[in-house]
Amino acid sequence: MQQQIAMEAQKRGMTPQQFQQWQRQQIEAEAKKAGMSFEQYVNKLKQQAYESHQRQQQMAAQQQAAQQSGQPQAQGQGGEQVPIQPGAPDPRATAVAKWLRGQDLKTRTCILNGQRKDMFRVKRALRALQSPAYAKARSKNHLLPPVTDAATASETFKLLPLSLLSLHVSKSDPHEGHNHAPPAKAQKRVKGLWTVKIEQQQDISDDLHYVWLYEGPQWRQKMYAGGALVLIMAVVMFPLWPVKLRLGVWYLSMGMLGLIGLFFAMAIFRAILFAVTYFAVPPGLWLYPNLFEDVGFFDSFRPVWGWQEEKKKKKGKKATSDASAAGEKSSPKKAKAKASSTGTASATEATNRDLKPRIEEVEED
């Protein structure tokens, strides 16, 4: 303690006694402002220091327990870590999550615990919370917390991990921590589809990724489940249907069976027709050639008939086209070679020509 006082006094260019007197004067002035005596104000400062120390110890114990249990922690006010307790979500957090789910956060699909989830970046959520659209929505829904700047936007976003509506995730390797090679028949991974894991520390930064655990109102799923239940009950209670309704269902089922039988008969007939025409009129005739192709329903019955396509002829045509293309490519080279050969021949002729001067005798008359 004395060493700390001496160091502080040395920083301010005082002796330890002068520093203690100056510190006492400061405390007396603050006590006078608070309307307390010097002893009362000192006791208040001691009580505050003791409570702060107790809170720090409790937070340290909670962090240690959360780390041992693998429970995620969110960053609270002042940068301290707050363990996330499961339970009913905060109504304000639900309102924020519902509003953000309706915004264009450019989400991408990821795999979390074998399930597909929507993932987004924090900076897009913070940008949406500071937009005029959020202020307009808050005027209609008072559960939305006020957002005035980047700090309040971060505090509002912290409500999501604290209520387990959205959690910070990072990319992970499915075989991380295993001492074996990946299985021979590994599942095909979709390009750009991350496999993610939940991080222990739920920090907030622009470049971090969060995954949505809030699915929104489940009325559609409930409606589908109710419809499936009604359908199953209707099938089970078929003997109790009215006679006319049961008769209509019987005619309908017979019509469906007739269509299925007609389809199989047509498939057998077209196969027999192709087998006959393959030897009689090669290369063979197909009835509804696109029947089993990967096309639409109506395109499967167009055209009505068509000849079998010969793959060998296609290959032959391809080979001739390749040969002609190669010939066209080689013809400029041949022309160049021919031109170069003629050039060399003329050059050799010019060199072999006798260029010596000749004297001719002319006879005089």
Side-chain angles (χ1 to χ4, degrees):
M1 187 69 180
Q2 295 295 332
Q3 292 179 357
Q4 291 180 358
I5 293 174
M7 289 175 63
E8 292 292 334
Q10 190 175 1
K11 286 180 182 178
R12 290 173 171 78
M14 304 178 183
T15 61
Q17 292 79 13
Q18 292 175 347
F19 178 72
Q20 289 180 353
Q21 290 178 2
W22 174 79
Q23 196 175 24
R24 183 181 179 87
Q25 291 174 0
Q26 293 290 330
I27 295 174
E28 287 177 352
E30 291 177 1
K32 188 179 291 185
K33 288 180 182 179
M36 302 180 183
S37 64
F38 179 77
E39 290 78 9
Q40 291 175 346
Y41 191 73
V42 170
N43 292 332
K44 180 182 177 182
L45 292 178
K46 288 181 180 180
Q47 183 67 22
Q48 290 178 354
Y50 176 75
E51 291 176 356
S52 176
H53 181 67
Q54 291 292 328
R55 281 199 303 269
Q56 289 179 359
Q57 286 185 344
Q58 291 177 1
M59 291 300 301
Q62 289 177 356
Q63 287 182 12
Q64 187 176 3
Q67 289 177 358
Q68 290 177 358
S69 61
Q71 188 179 6
Q73 297 178 349
Q75 196 176 38
Q77 296 181 354
E80 56 190 16
Q81 299 296 327
V82 179
I84 299 174
Q85 301 293 339
D90 189 350
R92 298 178 303 160
T94 306
V96 172
K98 185 177 180 180
W99 185 82
L100 284 176
R101 287 290 279 176
Q103 303 303 307
D104 183 18
L105 301 182
K106 295 183 179 179
T107 58
R108 56 185 297 185
T109 306
C110 64
I111 303 297
L112 177 64
N113 297 329
Q115 297 179 351
R116 289 176 179 259
K117 298 290 184 180
D118 291 332
M119 183 176 63
F120 64 94
R121 297 182 74 174
V122 175
K123 68 177 183 181
R124 293 193 175 93
L126 296 179
R127 197 179 300 161
L129 290 173
Q130 298 178 69
S131 65
Y134 180 81
K136 185 177 179 181
R138 188 178 176 275
S139 62
K140 299 178 180 178
N141 186 2
H142 297 288
L143 286 175
L144 294 173
V147 174
T148 56
D149 52 7
T152 52
S154 298
E155 292 297 327
T156 303
F157 186 80
K158 287 175 187 176
L159 296 173
L160 300 179
L162 286 172
S163 297
L164 293 175
L165 300 177
S166 181
L167 293 176
H168 169 40
V169 295
S170 62
K171 192 175 182 180
S172 67
D173 184 6
H175 303 285
E176 185 180 1
H178 297 185
N179 295 324
H180 60 78
K185 294 183 179 179
Q187 294 181 352
K188 291 184 178 179
R189 296 190 60 190
V190 182
K191 187 177 180 181
L193 198 63
W194 285 12
T195 300
V196 298
K197 63 178 179 180
I198 297 176
E199 287 293 327
Q200 184 72 21
Q201 303 296 334
Q202 297 294 307
D203 300 324
I204 296 177
S205 179
D206 289 347
D207 295 329
L208 297 182
H209 290 86
Y210 270 66
V211 69
W212 279 116
L213 301 180
Y214 174 73
E215 300 294 341
Q218 304 294 324
W219 61 268
R220 185 175 297 177
Q221 287 81 355
K222 293 177 181 178
M223 185 178 67
Y224 290 158
L229 184 61
V230 169
L231 183 63
I232 292 172
M233 292 297 295
V235 172
V236 171
M237 299 176 67
F238 179 76
L240 301 179
W241 289 15
V243 177
K244 291 183 179 180
L245 193 58
R246 282 186 288 171
L247 189 61
V249 170
W250 183 84
Y251 280 123
L252 183 63
S253 61
M254 289 299 104
M256 293 296 295
L257 287 175
L259 287 176
I260 294 173
L262 182 62
F263 178 80
F264 279 105
M266 183 176 60
I268 295 170
F269 175 75
R270 72 191 289 270
I272 296 173
L273 179 64
F274 173 74
V276 172
T277 55
Y278 181 78
F279 296 101
V281 190
L285 181 68
W286 278 112
L287 183 66
Y288 300 119
N290 294 329
L291 186 63
F292 295 106
E293 297 295 331
D294 188 12
V295 293
F297 176 77
F298 295 103
D299 292 333
S300 299
F301 300 95
R302 290 192 295 234
V304 178
W305 63 274
W307 295 101
Q308 169 70 13
E309 296 180 358
E310 294 188 31
K311 297 182 180 179
K312 292 183 179 179
K313 287 186 177 181
K314 288 185 178 179
K315 290 182 180 178
K317 290 179 181 179
K318 187 177 180 182
T320 53
S321 62
D322 291 343
S324 61
E328 289 176 359
K329 289 181 180 178
S330 61
S331 58
K333 295 183 180 178
K334 289 180 180 179
K336 288 182 180 179
K338 189 175 181 181
S340 62
S341 63
T342 54
T344 2
S346 61
T348 51
E349 288 177 3
T351 51
N352 293 335
R353 190 182 302 167
D354 190 7
L355 300 178
K356 291 181 180 181
R358 294 179 181 179
I359 300 174
E360 294 181 359
E361 294 181 0
V362 181
E363 293 183 359
E364 294 181 358
D365 293 337

